[in-house]
Amino acid sequence: MRTLIDESQLDDGVSKLAKEIDSNYGGRPITVVAVMTGSLVLFADLIRRLSMPQRVGVIHASSYRGGTQAGKLEIDSKMLIDVQNRDVLLVDDIYDTGATLTKLSAAIAEMGASSVSTAVLLKKLRPKQIGPKPDFVAFEIPDEFVVGYGLDYLDMYRNLPFIGVLEPDEIEATARQ
Ligand code: 5GP
Ligand code: MG
Ligand code: MG
């Protein structure tokens, strides 16, 4: 595993992200929605650093069914709290092609939210990103498959306290586990 962003860099990055979001909303209450499961770790760290009143909810989206290539996006909003007339901040782990956050933003807007903004830990620097850019980004990273701090490969590695890049032999080993 090659470390791309270490623990203390993550700590600083999330604090900066929270400051930016705080100053943008100026104390207005928000409904913060975690895009499960990848934003789990970021979400816990971020909401404790935001100072406005918050309602907290979760939505499920997944496009990486069992690999490093994106498949069809599935959205499950059964567990989501009411977002009608709320200012919603969607929190996701990473903005790659942009498909997930574009579709989720549209779905939340359709549910009657007054506004929808997006915050991500990571944004990949790659061509062919679709839809609006995320409103708040902690780190821009090269176009590599990363794990840790919530991000998985085959549901593993989410617990790592840093962001790392898997070596080819680790990819093979994980698939065999
Ligand atoms: P997008 O829809 O923007 O292409 O992809 C967003 C979703 O794909 C993220 O929420 C994340 O779950 C997954 N994803 C994209 N790139 C990576 C990556 O490098 N590593 C991991 N573990 N997941 C990724
Ligand atoms: Mg995701
Ligand atoms: Mg995943």
Side-chain angles (χ1 to χ4, degrees), residues 54-66:
Q54 301 167 47
R55 289 183 179 79
V56 167
V58 297
I59 193 164
H60 238 277
S62 98
S63 57
Y64 274 91
R65 277 291 143 89

